[in-house]
Each structure stands twice: as structure tokens, then as C-alpha cells.
Amino acid sequence: MTAEEKPTASVWTRPRRPQREQLTREQIVAAAVELLDREGTEALSMRRLGSRLNAAATSLYRHVANRDELIQLVVDDVYGELEPPATADRSRWRAAVTRIATDLRAMALRHPWIAPELGQVGLVHIGPNALRMSSGLLAQFEAAGFPTAEKDQAAGTLTAYVIGIATSEAAYLSAIARSGRTEQEWVADLRPAFDEASRDHPRLRDGDSAQQDVPPQQIRDEAFSYGLDRVLDGLAARLDV
């Protein structure tokens, strides 16, 4: 096999090494998720993680070959938080897909580092938890009546919408968290500057005035639901073609 033909390495496609010490892969993954949730991807290194586990970095390399493999493991571990997709049913496919999308967004907001990672780790989606979610989503579109070739595109479109909006939300919420303020306080502090900057843009001022007394989280939730409904409207229209 030439270098060009060599398959891409993945933690999921090589044998798991025998455990010869107390430190386990599960402990490493749990500590990595905690570190990522607290400090983000920039803080994750094998040396830093080993320090948190009171273990040498070399001990971690017995379980994962490198940082990329560790990211594959932690991403799939977080996917394990999602509820198993409902049994596929043609009459309830839209409700089931809505729940999957809503749960995926909630997962991404609990772990703000994950959304940007999903597009960067080529084989992360072959972990067992990610495969279970993806397969369940495809089953819903199949039950709805999408042909084989199109159900993959439908699932990709839905996932791209959720991950895209969750990436933006996660960055916004992370900035607020670093400020030490609540989202309500953050928005209130920005309002005078927005009012001044939008003085010559009445359409922007009208939209902001209509939502001035609405809690920021409710605005985000409603915006997500609106976009999701429009995506599903477009996909549902394909069933009538």
C-alpha cells in the first residue's frame, strides 16, 4: 500500500491497547471534557490533561495516539448525551426531527467548544454515539418518504443549520461568560450603544424595540425554532415534488 493509499488514521479503526495501569480511556475522556468545558480547546494539551489526572503525558499516549484522537473520543462522548432517536414513523417524522435538532443544539450550547470541532475532525462521525444519532436521523427522513440519495442531503442540510447557529450562539455565550455578567446584563449594557449606532436605521430600531422586554434566551430560542421550521418547510415541500 502506497502512502497515498494509506487509510486515514482514526481512534475508531485501530485495536484498543490492553490496559496495564489504573488510568483508563474513560477517565481521560471525562477529564478532557471537563477541561474543554471550563477553558476551551486552546487549553487542551496532553501535558495539561496529564497534570489534571496526576499522570505523565506518556501514560495518556498508551490510550490515544495524539490530540486529534482525543478530540474524536470527547466529541463522541458528548454525542452520547443525546437521547436515542424515536422510532421512525411517517406520520411523526417532523416532530422527531425537530426533537433531534433541538437536542443537538442544546448539546452544543452545553459544550461551547464542540460545534467548531465538528467540521474539523474528519472521522469524528464514525464514533458509535455519533453513528447512532446520524443513523436515527436518516431513518426519520427515510420514513418521511425521501429517496435514498436525497435523505442524506436532507440530514446534512438540517445538521448544517443546527451546527451553524449553535456555533454562533456558543461564541456569543462564551464571550458573555468571560465578562462575568449574565446575558440579561450584557444586553442591557449594550443597548445604549446600539440605540446610538442605529439612530439612522429605523428598521433596526423597530425590530429591537419590539423585543426590548423579551428575555434574551427566549429571543434566541424563538429564532432557532423559526429557522428550523423554515428548513423543515423546505424539506417537506420536496415530498410533494
Side-chain angles (χ1 to χ4, degrees):
M1 179 179 291
T2 66
E4 289 77 10
E5 295 172 329
K6 187 176 181 180
T8 303
S10 170
V11 68
W12 305 113
T13 57
R14 62 172 173 77
R16 187 165 176 171
R17 293 177 179 176
Q19 182 177 322
R20 298 179 182 176
E21 53 193 64
Q22 289 186 341
L23 186 64
T24 66
R25 176 187 281 184
E26 289 72 24
Q27 289 173 319
I28 294 170
V29 170
V33 171
E34 182 180 352
L35 177 59
L36 287 164
D37 286 348
R38 285 178 177 271
E39 302 183 42
T41 53
E42 297 81 3
L44 182 64
S45 69
M46 303 301 269
R47 180 175 296 181
R48 182 82 179 276
L49 188 57
S51 177
R52 291 176 69 90
L53 290 164
N54 295 316
T58 52
S59 298
L60 275 61
Y61 286 115
R62 292 196 55 80
H63 300 275
V64 290
N66 49 48
R67 186 179 182 277
D68 285 345
E69 281 200 358
L70 180 58
I71 291 292
Q72 291 180 38
L73 289 168
V74 295
V75 167
D76 199 67
D77 185 73
V78 170
Y79 263 112
E81 298 175 5
L82 299 176
E83 291 290 328
T87 302
D89 184 323
R90 186 181 184 91
S91 66
R92 295 197 296 269
W93 74 270
R94 182 160 177 156
V97 168
T98 296
R99 199 203 79 180
I100 292 171
T102 302
D103 288 352
L104 184 59
R105 171 190 175 234
M107 178 198 80
L109 295 185
R110 285 194 302 273
H111 307 283
W113 51 270
I114 194 172
E117 291 294 335
L118 292 180
Q120 296 182 31
V121 184
L123 292 180
V124 68
H125 297 298
I126 66 172
N129 293 320
L131 287 178
R132 173 175 55 82
M133 190 281 291
S134 297
S135 179
L137 182 58
L138 287 173
Q140 299 298 337
F141 285 119
E142 184 178 82
F146 287 90
T148 299
E150 199 164 336
K151 69 183 180 184
D152 288 332
Q153 295 174 326
T157 298
L158 179 82
T159 303
Y161 168 71
V162 177
I163 297 304
I165 199 167
T167 299
S168 177
E169 281 189 276
Y172 161 74
L173 293 174
S174 294
I176 293 174
R178 290 192 297 270
S179 76
R181 288 172 286 177
T182 66
E183 186 177 5
Q184 192 83 38
E185 291 168 340
W186 173 279
V187 171
D189 289 346
L190 284 179
R191 188 167 300 283
F194 175 82
D195 289 344
E196 177 67 23
S198 62
R199 180 183 301 173
D200 298 327
H201 302 279
R203 293 181 183 84
L204 293 177
R205 293 177 63 86
D206 289 347
D208 180 68
S209 297
Q211 296 184 318
Q212 190 163 350
D213 297 324
V214 181
Q217 181 175 340
Q218 181 180 333
I219 294 174
R220 289 189 291 106
D221 290 344
E222 290 176 352
F224 173 79
S225 295
Y226 177 86
L228 178 60
D229 282 343
R230 300 296 74 77
V231 170
L232 294 179
D233 286 346
L235 292 174
R238 295 294 303 160
L239 297 175
D240 299 326
V241 174

